[in-house]
Each structure stands twice: as C-alpha cells, then as structure tokens.
Amino acid sequence: MYVLGIETSCDETAASVVRDGREILSNVVTSSLGEHKKYGGIIPEVAFRKQIDTIDGIVDCSLKEAGLGLRDIDLIAVTCGPGLAGSLLVGISFAKALSFAGKIPLLGVNHLESHLYSALLNASRPRPPFVALVVSGGHTSLFYVRDFKRIEALGATHDDACGEAFDKVAKILGLGYPGGPAVEKAARNGDGRRIKFSCSNTEAPLDFSFSGVKTAVLYYVKRHGLKDLADIAASFQEAVVNTLVKKSLAACRHKQAKALVIGGGVAANKRLRQALIRQASLEGVKVYLPAAGLCTDNAAMVAGLAFHLFKKGRCSGLELNPQLN
Ligand code: KG4
Ligand code: ZN
C-alpha cells in the first residue's frame, strides 16, 4: 500500500511516499528557516506564504522520486495539528484537493503522534506497547503507546517546550536560530559539570518544566558575561538531558515497559542520544531513535503512521480542518 504524506505544521513543506508503513520511497523537505533567522523565531505569515509557493512542486517531486503517479497512491495523509493555523491549512487544503480529484482516501494525522512514529521507520523497531518521548520545538510529552489507536498521555511540559528552551538559551548566548544545533555545537568544547544548572521539579513526576533553567542561564550570563560560553552551553544541555533521561526511564518503570521510543527535533541531539542509550541499558530498556534526518519535521513519519491508522479503520472526510491543540 502506497501512502503519500504531506506535512506543513510549522516552517517546513514536506512530502513523502512510504510503502506499507515502512519503506521510504521518497522524502522531500524544504524549509523557510533561512527567512526567519533575522527575526530570531518563526513568523507564521512568512512560513505559510512560502508553503503556498512550494507545496505543489514538493508533492510532485516526492511522487517523481518514488517513481509513481497520483493514480498509484492508495491513501493521502496530512498533518492536521497541532501547529500554525495558516501553515496547517495549506497542507490540508492541498491534500483535500488531491483526495477529491484522485478519489483517494484522506487521513488527518496528529503531529506529535507522527513524531513518535519516525523511530519506527528503522529496520529494527519495537512493537507496541512502549513508552515514547516527543521533544520538539513546540512540545515535550511522554506517552504510553498501547497500539497506534490508543496512545495515553503520561506527562507534558508546564511551560516552554524543550526545543523552545534550546532556542531561547541560544538567543541569550548570541548563537542564533534555530538554537538546538547551535547550543549542541558550542557545548562540544565545554564542561557540562562546571555550572550547576538544573530543571525545576514538577508536582506530577512525569511532567516537565524548562523555563526555570532558561532563566538561570539568563541570570548567569547577566552576572558573569559570555566568557565561559562553551561551559554554559554544555551545563545547560546536561541539565536538560538529565531531566529527559530521568523522566523517560521513570515512565518506563511506571508502565513496566522495556522499549522507549524518542521523536522530535531535540532527538537529533547526540548527547541526549548517548545518555539515553547508556542509562536505559542499565535498566534493561532498549531505546529506539529516529535516523538523524527524520528527527525534525518530515512527511515520511506522517505517511508511516497513517498506514497503521488506516488499517485500523481510521479515515477523514473533506470536512477535515486544522486541530490547533
Ligand atoms: O520537531 P521539530 O522539527 O519541530 C517542531 O515540531 O517543533 O523540532 C524543532 C526543534 C527546535 O526547537 C530546534 O532547536 C530543536 O528541535 N533541535 C535541537 C537539535 N536539533 C533541532 N535541539 C537540541 N539539539 C539538537 N541537535
Ligand atoms: Zn514537529
């Protein structure tokens, strides 16, 4: 079964063809990120104007790369939320038009759930049930996946998302946008134990809070300046990694799960990947990480997840609209 996935929830315009929820035949992504850099964050109007211009070509390119035509596609899957309203509308409207013109079933897919599917596009992947951590620019959530139709929320951030904290700290450190890769690069030459940063505790043990550690970095820089930039970046990264590892493994213990799946842009962070694998192995938990190119927004994860949901009877009508929360 060939699924065409479309993803336009934030700054990317992406399309992908995936066969049987597993084999990626094409994965095309373009981004307006360069155009947002001078503003230090995403400007929704800039994002969706670019998506209107590019979506046609990106979908066409993904079909050509897969060596298929629209008539070969069995399902059109599209991110329906959460995300930026205008951006989501571009993808959803385009997907509806293709579905209507080609008489092809349509399925709207949740963005967070598709992020956690990206690690399941690997050759080695777990079968549900498993615990999943989604760490992106907009969300930080822990889930228990019983099966793809029954995903239970275990915890979420109270304030900033994890990627957002990386972006804000990068701004404080003058490292530019997007912040995650820039902080990781700066941290490479630093000592992560030099400055004692830590993430705030939350009342519910599987929730997260990142705004306190971001403010601690701000006060440190106000007091000491930027002369220890590498150590500040490394110590901030260490605090975030520690809390993500600790809470993910606590969720595994709580659910007696032996598999942990990670998704979202922050899953590209090498320090997080190493720390998770090492700590989890001590507790007999196997970690499943997305391939590097599948951590940030892409449409292969949308098409992959949609295959399973469609098999379980899910389908959308032409009344599909953005689901913003
Ligand atoms: O999943 P994603 O592409 O978009 C959302 O759905 O939000 O995630 C983007 C976020 C940004 O905040 C970015 O700074 C962060 O992921 N990110 C990273 C790294 N690469 C991207 N954070 C830490 N380390 C990285 N290597
Ligand atoms: Zn995302």
Side-chain angles (χ1 to χ4, degrees):
M1 180 175 169
Y2 294 110
V3 183
L4 170 66
I6 296 176
E7 148 64 37
T8 61
S9 65
C10 191
D11 57 302
E12 281 89 2
T13 311
S16 164
V17 179
V18 174
R19 191 158 72 96
D20 296 339
R22 209 159 176 176
E23 189 190 346
I24 302 175
L25 302 182
S26 65
N27 184 25
V28 187
V29 186
T30 185
S31 164
S32 53
L33 203 58
E35 289 160 53
H36 304 282
K37 273 191 173 145
K38 59 176 177 278
Y39 305 107
I42 302 287
I43 308 297
E45 176 84 15
V46 173
F48 78 72
R49 280 175 183 244
K50 174 89 173 201
Q51 285 159 330
I52 290 170
D53 286 345
T54 52
I55 185 136
D56 193 10
I58 293 293
V59 169
D60 204 37
C61 184
S62 77
L63 287 169
K64 285 211 175 87
E65 265 188 27
L68 300 172
L70 189 59
R71 76 183 70 83
D72 302 309
I73 298 298
D74 302 296
L75 175 67
I76 294 173
V78 61
T79 306
C80 61
L84 304 172
S87 293
L88 290 166
L89 259 181
V90 176
I92 292 174
S93 308
F94 199 84
K96 280 187 196 177
L98 286 183
S99 159
F100 184 71
K103 299 189 175 58
I104 304 165
L106 174 72
L107 181 56
V109 169
N110 177 282
H111 185 59
L112 296 186
E113 293 176 7
S114 61
H115 262 308
L116 65 85
Y117 191 84
S118 55
L120 280 78
L121 287 159
N122 291 333
S124 147
R125 56 190 194 158
R127 284 180 167 279
F130 52 77
V131 166
L133 170 72
V134 178
V135 265
S136 72
H139 295 85
T140 305
S141 300
L142 273 166
F143 297 103
Y144 183 58
V145 180
R146 284 180 202 283
D147 63 48
F148 293 107
K149 265 181 90 176
R150 287 185 302 162
I151 298 179
E152 179 191 332
L154 298 176
T157 180
H158 286 195
D159 37 58
D160 292 344
C162 186
E164 189 182 358
F166 270 97
D167 294 335
K168 287 178 174 170
V169 164
K171 206 168 184 174
I172 295 167
L173 300 182
L175 295 174
Y177 182 85
V183 170
E184 180 175 7
K185 191 164 167 222
R188 250 178 249 153
N189 305 316
D191 177 356
R193 285 164 305 185
R194 238 217 62 212
I195 308 161
K196 292 275 165 280
F197 293 132
S198 61
C199 295
S200 318
N201 287 326
T202 51
E203 208 175 301
L206 300 182
D207 280 349
F208 298 90
S209 169
F210 295 105
S211 78
V213 67
K214 168 204 68 193
T215 309
V217 172
L218 178 67
Y219 285 145
Y220 186 92
V221 170
K222 277 193 172 162
R223 212 170 310 128
H224 304 280
L226 287 173
K227 60 182 187 314
D228 322 317
L229 190 130
D231 290 343
I232 304 171
S235 301
F236 161 76
Q237 180 175 260
E238 210 54 25
V240 171
V241 165
N242 282 343
T243 202
L244 293 174
V245 170
K246 190 178 85 186
K247 297 201 176 209
S248 301
L249 293 178
C252 290
R253 282 193 295 275
H254 172 58
K255 288 292 180 186
Q256 297 180 328
K258 289 290 165 210
L260 172 63
V261 168
I262 319 293
V266 184
N269 186 285
K270 291 196 186 67
R271 178 79 193 115
L272 172 64
R273 293 168 84 97
Q274 286 163 356
L276 268 171
I277 292 171
R278 200 182 44 237
Q279 295 293 326
S281 73
L282 300 177
E283 303 199 18
V285 173
K286 182 145 197 266
V287 179
Y288 294 85
L289 295 155
L294 295 177
C295 293
T296 46
D297 291 345
N298 66 84
M301 63 188 190
V302 178
L305 175 62
F307 167 79
H308 293 278
L309 295 174
F310 187 71
K311 288 254 150 194
K312 288 188 179 283
R314 272 226 202 136
C315 200
S316 306
L318 289 177
E319 68 283 356
L320 182 68
N321 263 325
Q323 285 151 27
L324 299 178
N325 299 308

Short mmCIF file of all heavy atoms in Angstrom, two decimals, residues 9-12 111-112 115 135-139 162-167 177-182 184 237 263-270 295-297 301, ligand 1:
data_model
loop_
_atom_site.label_atom_id
_atom_site.label_comp_id
_atom_site.label_asym_id
_atom_site.label_seq_id
_atom_site.Cartn_x
_atom_site.Cartn_y
_atom_site.Cartn_z
N SER A 9 3.23 21.71 9.23
CA SER A 9 2.72 22.24 10.50
C SER A 9 3.47 23.47 10.99
O SER A 9 2.93 24.25 11.78
CB SER A 9 2.77 21.16 11.59
OG SER A 9 4.09 20.82 11.85
N CYS A 10 4.73 23.66 10.54
CA CYS A 10 5.49 24.82 11.04
C CYS A 10 6.21 25.49 9.87
O CYS A 10 5.56 26.04 9.00
CB CYS A 10 6.44 24.33 12.14
SG CYS A 10 7.20 25.68 13.05
N ASP A 11 7.54 25.43 9.81
CA ASP A 11 8.24 26.13 8.73
C ASP A 11 8.57 25.22 7.54
O ASP A 11 8.98 25.71 6.50
CB ASP A 11 9.53 26.77 9.27
CG ASP A 11 10.44 25.74 9.91
OD1 ASP A 11 9.99 25.08 10.86
OD2 ASP A 11 11.59 25.58 9.46
N GLU A 12 8.39 23.91 7.69
CA GLU A 12 8.72 23.00 6.59
C GLU A 12 7.55 22.79 5.64
O GLU A 12 6.38 22.85 6.05
CB GLU A 12 9.14 21.61 7.11
CG GLU A 12 10.56 21.52 7.62
CD GLU A 12 10.69 21.85 9.08
OE1 GLU A 12 9.63 22.13 9.72
OE2 GLU A 12 11.82 21.85 9.59
N HIS A 111 0.36 15.61 14.77
CA HIS A 111 1.79 15.87 14.56
C HIS A 111 2.68 15.18 15.60
O HIS A 111 3.74 14.64 15.28
CB HIS A 111 2.02 17.38 14.57
CG HIS A 111 3.42 17.76 14.25
ND1 HIS A 111 4.04 17.41 13.07
CD2 HIS A 111 4.35 18.46 14.96
CE1 HIS A 111 5.28 17.88 13.07
NE2 HIS A 111 5.49 18.52 14.21
N LEU A 112 2.24 15.20 16.86
CA LEU A 112 3.07 14.59 17.92
C LEU A 112 3.13 13.08 17.76
O LEU A 112 4.18 12.45 17.91
CB LEU A 112 2.48 14.90 19.30
CG LEU A 112 2.47 16.35 19.70
CD1 LEU A 112 2.02 16.51 21.13
CD2 LEU A 112 3.83 16.95 19.53
N HIS A 115 5.52 12.24 15.08
CA HIS A 115 6.92 12.35 15.51
C HIS A 115 7.38 11.05 16.18
O HIS A 115 8.50 10.62 16.00
CB HIS A 115 7.10 13.50 16.50
CG HIS A 115 7.61 14.75 15.87
ND1 HIS A 115 8.74 14.78 15.08
CD2 HIS A 115 7.16 16.02 15.90
CE1 HIS A 115 8.96 16.01 14.66
NE2 HIS A 115 8.01 16.79 15.13
N VAL A 135 10.11 15.27 21.85
CA VAL A 135 10.79 16.51 22.27
C VAL A 135 11.01 17.39 21.05
O VAL A 135 11.93 17.15 20.27
CB VAL A 135 12.14 16.22 22.98
CG1 VAL A 135 11.98 16.17 24.47
CG2 VAL A 135 12.80 14.94 22.48
N SER A 136 10.15 18.39 20.88
CA SER A 136 10.25 19.21 19.67
C SER A 136 10.30 20.69 20.05
O SER A 136 10.42 21.04 21.23
CB SER A 136 9.05 18.92 18.78
OG SER A 136 7.90 19.49 19.34
N GLY A 137 10.16 21.55 19.04
CA GLY A 137 10.18 22.99 19.31
C GLY A 137 8.89 23.47 19.95
O GLY A 137 8.85 24.52 20.59
N GLY A 138 7.82 22.69 19.79
CA GLY A 138 6.52 23.12 20.31
C GLY A 138 6.00 22.26 21.46
O GLY A 138 5.09 22.67 22.17
N HIS A 139 6.56 21.07 21.66
CA HIS A 139 6.01 20.13 22.64
C HIS A 139 7.10 19.33 23.33
O HIS A 139 8.15 19.07 22.76
CB HIS A 139 5.03 19.15 21.97
CG HIS A 139 3.83 19.84 21.44
ND1 HIS A 139 3.81 20.42 20.20
CD2 HIS A 139 2.62 20.10 22.00
CE1 HIS A 139 2.64 21.00 20.01
NE2 HIS A 139 1.90 20.83 21.08
N CYS A 162 10.93 21.72 25.17
CA CYS A 162 12.37 21.50 25.30
C CYS A 162 13.14 22.21 24.18
O CYS A 162 14.13 22.92 24.44
CB CYS A 162 12.60 19.99 25.27
SG CYS A 162 14.27 19.55 25.59
N GLY A 163 12.69 22.05 22.93
CA GLY A 163 13.37 22.70 21.80
C GLY A 163 13.30 24.22 21.93
O GLY A 163 14.25 24.94 21.59
N GLU A 164 12.18 24.70 22.45
CA GLU A 164 12.00 26.15 22.65
C GLU A 164 13.04 26.66 23.67
O GLU A 164 13.60 27.75 23.50
CB GLU A 164 10.58 26.35 23.18
CG GLU A 164 10.10 27.76 23.27
CD GLU A 164 8.67 27.80 23.87
OE1 GLU A 164 8.09 26.73 24.18
OE2 GLU A 164 8.18 28.92 24.06
N ALA A 165 13.29 25.87 24.71
CA ALA A 165 14.29 26.25 25.71
C ALA A 165 15.68 26.33 25.06
O ALA A 165 16.44 27.26 25.31
CB ALA A 165 14.29 25.26 26.87
N PHE A 166 16.01 25.34 24.21
CA PHE A 166 17.28 25.41 23.47
C PHE A 166 17.33 26.69 22.62
O PHE A 166 18.35 27.37 22.58
CB PHE A 166 17.43 24.18 22.55
CG PHE A 166 18.12 23.01 23.20
CD1 PHE A 166 17.39 21.97 23.75
CD2 PHE A 166 19.51 22.94 23.24
CE1 PHE A 166 18.02 20.88 24.34
CE2 PHE A 166 20.15 21.86 23.83
CZ PHE A 166 19.41 20.84 24.39
N ASP A 167 16.21 27.01 21.96
CA ASP A 167 16.18 28.20 21.09
C ASP A 167 16.36 29.48 21.91
O ASP A 167 17.08 30.39 21.50
CB ASP A 167 14.85 28.25 20.30
CG ASP A 167 14.73 27.09 19.32
OD1 ASP A 167 15.77 26.57 18.89
OD2 ASP A 167 13.59 26.71 18.97
N TYR A 177 19.42 31.31 15.48
CA TYR A 177 18.25 30.44 15.42
C TYR A 177 18.37 29.49 14.23
O TYR A 177 18.84 29.93 13.18
CB TYR A 177 16.99 31.31 15.27
CG TYR A 177 15.71 30.51 15.24
CD1 TYR A 177 15.09 30.14 16.42
CD2 TYR A 177 15.17 30.10 14.03
CE1 TYR A 177 13.95 29.37 16.40
CE2 TYR A 177 14.02 29.33 14.01
CZ TYR A 177 13.42 28.97 15.19
OH TYR A 177 12.29 28.20 15.17
N PRO A 178 17.99 28.22 14.28
CA PRO A 178 17.44 27.52 15.45
C PRO A 178 18.54 27.19 16.46
O PRO A 178 19.67 26.92 16.09
CB PRO A 178 16.85 26.24 14.84
CG PRO A 178 17.68 25.99 13.62
CD PRO A 178 18.09 27.34 13.11
N GLY A 179 18.15 27.17 17.72
CA GLY A 179 19.13 27.12 18.79
C GLY A 179 19.69 25.75 19.11
O GLY A 179 20.84 25.64 19.55
N GLY A 180 18.89 24.70 18.91
CA GLY A 180 19.32 23.36 19.34
C GLY A 180 20.67 22.96 18.77
O GLY A 180 21.62 22.69 19.53
N PRO A 181 20.80 22.94 17.44
CA PRO A 181 22.08 22.54 16.87
C PRO A 181 23.22 23.47 17.28
O PRO A 181 24.35 23.03 17.50
CB PRO A 181 21.84 22.61 15.35
CG PRO A 181 20.35 22.53 15.20
CD PRO A 181 19.76 23.15 16.43
N ALA A 182 22.92 24.78 17.43
CA ALA A 182 23.96 25.75 17.79
C ALA A 182 24.45 25.53 19.22
O ALA A 182 25.64 25.57 19.51
CB ALA A 182 23.42 27.17 17.63
N GLU A 184 24.25 22.69 20.88
CA GLU A 184 24.97 21.41 20.90
C GLU A 184 26.41 21.60 20.40
O GLU A 184 27.35 21.06 20.98
CB GLU A 184 24.24 20.38 20.02
CG GLU A 184 24.97 19.05 20.02
CD GLU A 184 24.27 17.92 19.29
OE1 GLU A 184 23.24 18.15 18.64
OE2 GLU A 184 24.79 16.80 19.37
N GLN A 237 22.80 22.07 28.55
CA GLN A 237 22.44 20.85 27.83
C GLN A 237 22.41 19.64 28.77
O GLN A 237 21.50 18.80 28.70
CB GLN A 237 23.45 20.62 26.70
CG GLN A 237 23.19 19.37 25.87
CD GLN A 237 24.15 19.28 24.70
OE1 GLN A 237 23.81 19.61 23.59
NE2 GLN A 237 25.36 18.80 24.96
N GLY A 263 11.23 10.87 19.64
CA GLY A 263 10.99 11.58 18.39
C GLY A 263 11.01 13.08 18.61
O GLY A 263 11.01 13.56 19.75
N GLY A 264 11.05 13.84 17.51
CA GLY A 264 11.06 15.31 17.58
C GLY A 264 12.46 15.86 17.37
O GLY A 264 13.45 15.13 17.53
N GLY A 265 12.54 17.16 17.06
CA GLY A 265 13.81 17.78 16.69
C GLY A 265 14.92 17.58 17.70
O GLY A 265 16.08 17.35 17.33
N VAL A 266 14.61 17.63 19.01
CA VAL A 266 15.65 17.52 20.03
C VAL A 266 16.24 16.09 20.06
O VAL A 266 17.36 15.89 20.55
CB VAL A 266 15.11 17.95 21.42
CG1 VAL A 266 16.22 17.93 22.47
CG2 VAL A 266 14.48 19.33 21.36
N ALA A 267 15.53 15.13 19.50
CA ALA A 267 16.05 13.75 19.45
C ALA A 267 17.30 13.67 18.57
O ALA A 267 18.01 12.66 18.58
CB ALA A 267 14.97 12.79 18.94
N ALA A 268 17.59 14.74 17.81
CA ALA A 268 18.83 14.76 17.00
C ALA A 268 20.05 15.03 17.87
O ALA A 268 21.18 14.81 17.44
CB ALA A 268 18.72 15.85 15.93
N ASN A 269 19.83 15.49 19.12
CA ASN A 269 20.95 15.87 19.99
C ASN A 269 21.78 14.63 20.40
O ASN A 269 21.26 13.70 21.03
CB ASN A 269 20.38 16.57 21.24
CG ASN A 269 21.46 17.13 22.12
OD1 ASN A 269 22.14 16.40 22.82
ND2 ASN A 269 21.63 18.44 22.06
N LYS A 270 23.06 14.67 20.05
CA LYS A 270 23.89 13.47 20.24
C LYS A 270 24.12 13.16 21.71
O LYS A 270 24.17 12.00 22.11
CB LYS A 270 25.25 13.65 19.55
CG LYS A 270 25.11 13.65 18.04
CD LYS A 270 26.46 13.42 17.36
CE LYS A 270 26.33 13.57 15.86
NZ LYS A 270 26.00 14.95 15.44
N CYS A 295 14.39 13.23 12.57
CA CYS A 295 14.04 13.80 13.89
C CYS A 295 13.18 15.04 13.71
O CYS A 295 12.15 15.19 14.35
CB CYS A 295 15.30 14.16 14.66
SG CYS A 295 16.27 12.74 15.15
N THR A 296 13.64 15.96 12.85
CA THR A 296 12.88 17.20 12.65
C THR A 296 11.71 16.91 11.70
O THR A 296 11.57 15.79 11.18
CB THR A 296 13.79 18.31 12.10
OG1 THR A 296 14.57 17.75 11.07
CG2 THR A 296 14.70 18.85 13.18
N ASP A 297 10.87 17.94 11.46
CA ASP A 297 9.63 17.71 10.73
C ASP A 297 9.86 17.12 9.33
O ASP A 297 10.70 17.60 8.58
CB ASP A 297 8.87 19.05 10.61
CG ASP A 297 8.35 19.50 11.96
OD1 ASP A 297 8.32 18.67 12.90
OD2 ASP A 297 7.98 20.68 12.08
N MET A 301 7.19 10.30 8.37
CA MET A 301 6.57 9.86 9.63
C MET A 301 5.04 9.97 9.56
O MET A 301 4.33 9.18 10.18
CB MET A 301 7.14 10.66 10.81
CG MET A 301 6.85 12.15 10.77
SD MET A 301 7.74 13.03 12.07
CE MET A 301 6.99 14.67 11.94
O1 KG4 B 1 10.32 18.62 15.64
P1 KG4 B 1 10.79 19.91 15.13
O2 KG4 B 1 11.46 19.95 13.78
O3 KG4 B 1 9.64 20.96 15.03
C1 KG4 B 1 8.54 21.02 15.87
O4 KG4 B 1 7.59 20.23 15.68
O5 KG4 B 1 8.62 21.88 16.76
O6 KG4 B 1 11.78 20.50 16.26
C2 KG4 B 1 12.46 21.70 16.13
C3 KG4 B 1 13.18 21.96 17.46
C4 KG4 B 1 13.84 23.35 17.52
O7 KG4 B 1 13.47 23.95 18.73
C5 KG4 B 1 15.33 23.03 17.50
O8 KG4 B 1 16.12 23.98 18.19
C6 KG4 B 1 15.38 21.66 18.14
O9 KG4 B 1 14.22 21.00 17.66
N1 KG4 B 1 16.58 20.92 17.75
C7 KG4 B 1 17.54 20.53 18.62
C8 KG4 B 1 18.56 19.91 17.84
N2 KG4 B 1 18.15 19.92 16.52
C9 KG4 B 1 16.94 20.54 16.49
N3 KG4 B 1 17.64 20.66 19.96
C10 KG4 B 1 18.75 20.19 20.56
N4 KG4 B 1 19.78 19.60 19.87
C11 KG4 B 1 19.72 19.43 18.53
N5 KG4 B 1 20.73 18.85 17.87
#
